[in-house]
Amino acid sequence: EIYHPGVVDLAQGERSHSGQSSLRVTFSADEDGYGAYVFLPEQEHIFTRYLDYFETDFDFACGMKVHRLSSFNEGADVNWYDIISVVFGQGGGPSGRDFCGMNDPDTLACGYNGGPTDWGEVGAAAPIGRGRWQCVETEVRLNTPGQTDGEVRFWADSVLVAEQTGLNIRGGLTAGLDRVLFGGWYSNGCGGQNPCIDPQTPAVRYLDDLVVATTRIGCP
């Protein structure tokens, strides 16, 4: 199910890794974005994989969200808990938060974005670039309710980039993961410190070969 048509479209005959189409996301302004949701039965342990292509003039944001795994509380219309992946840009002027002009990618991270307990972030420098297809796979194993035995790992082009065990991701909740977002949004405000919040030019990202599984997937 695609969210925010216009920003997010099915591209045919443009960029694709396999087949003839891919998911295109065009960021024209700060906080533009979203993507395609996959809804699934509640899962305790899942792997997700997508292939990314950033155009050669892509201006990376201060903290661009690229992927999301959630557990949704329908009664309250909010997430029980939420996990996002972020690509952080390399920008930095005198204040360290000036993301004006073209910015390169730096760090890929997966972390807490809401829930009963702030379990932090798992991240590292990753080979994210422009003008080529790159494969990112994420693993999340939820903690046993009330215990600290959750796990998070992610791979870039089949190389394990970061992992952390002993995590308390959902506290005492029993709800499993039931929503996966392939896509994201362009967060470039840096907490109000960045004077150039919009991308230098419309920043185009393509996604292809999207998979959700209960075992390791690997890259095509």
Side-chain angles (χ1 to χ4, degrees):
E1 187 168 341
I2 294 178
Y3 284 74
H4 290 205
V7 175
V8 183
D9 298 290
L10 187 65
Q12 299 190 15
E14 296 180 22
R15 303 281 187 196
S16 60
H17 182 266
S18 61
Q20 299 297 317
S21 62
S22 61
L23 189 70
R24 180 184 59 230
V25 185
T26 303
F27 305 110
S28 299
D30 184 41
E31 299 302 337
D32 260 358
Y34 254 59
Y37 264 111
V38 176
F39 302 95
L40 56 151
E42 291 186 13
Q43 301 293 321
E44 301 289 304
H45 183 198
I46 67 171
F47 295 78
T48 62
R49 190 210 63 203
Y50 57 90
L51 269 70
D52 247 335
Y53 188 103
F54 297 101
E55 283 289 9
T56 55
D57 61 349
F58 196 96
D59 180 14
F60 284 86
C62 174
M64 188 177 70
K65 283 69 173 180
V66 293
H67 191 42
R68 188 175 196 171
L69 301 95
S70 308
S71 177
F72 191 63
N73 178 349
E74 292 195 17
D77 199 30
V78 296
N79 288 317
W80 289 110
Y81 53 90
D82 194 30
I83 301 166
I84 57 170
S85 296
V86 183
V87 172
F88 292 101
Q90 289 182 0
S95 68
R97 309 303 278 173
D98 181 349
F99 276 72
C100 299
M102 182 75 72
N103 290 279
D104 293 328
D106 183 20
T107 303
L108 175 65
C110 180
Y112 164 87
N113 192 49
T117 175
D118 186 346
W119 53 272
E121 185 177 272
V122 181
I128 302 297
R130 302 183 181 92
R132 66 179 181 86
W133 286 102
Q134 48 227 326
C135 174
V136 178
E137 182 170 355
T138 304
E139 175 188 6
V140 175
R141 184 191 295 273
L142 296 174
N143 61 290
T144 305
Q147 298 185 33
T148 307
D149 56 1
E151 302 176 4
V152 170
R153 296 176 182 85
F154 60 85
W155 295 259
D157 292 334
S158 297
V159 176
L160 181 64
V161 175
E163 66 176 328
Q164 191 165 333
T165 60
L167 296 173
N168 183 7
I169 297 172
R170 59 176 172 177
L173 296 173
T174 59
L177 292 161
D178 59 7
R179 293 189 176 195
V180 174
L181 173 72
F182 291 101
W185 57 104
Y186 194 91
S187 296
N188 204 27
C190 296
Q193 299 179 62
N194 183 16
C196 302
I197 60 174
D198 297 334
Q200 180 172 266
T201 58
V204 180
R205 173 193 183 203
Y206 296 88
L207 296 102
D208 204 352
D209 295 334
L210 318 176
V211 179
V212 180
T214 55
T215 58
R216 191 63 210 285
I217 304 161
C219 293

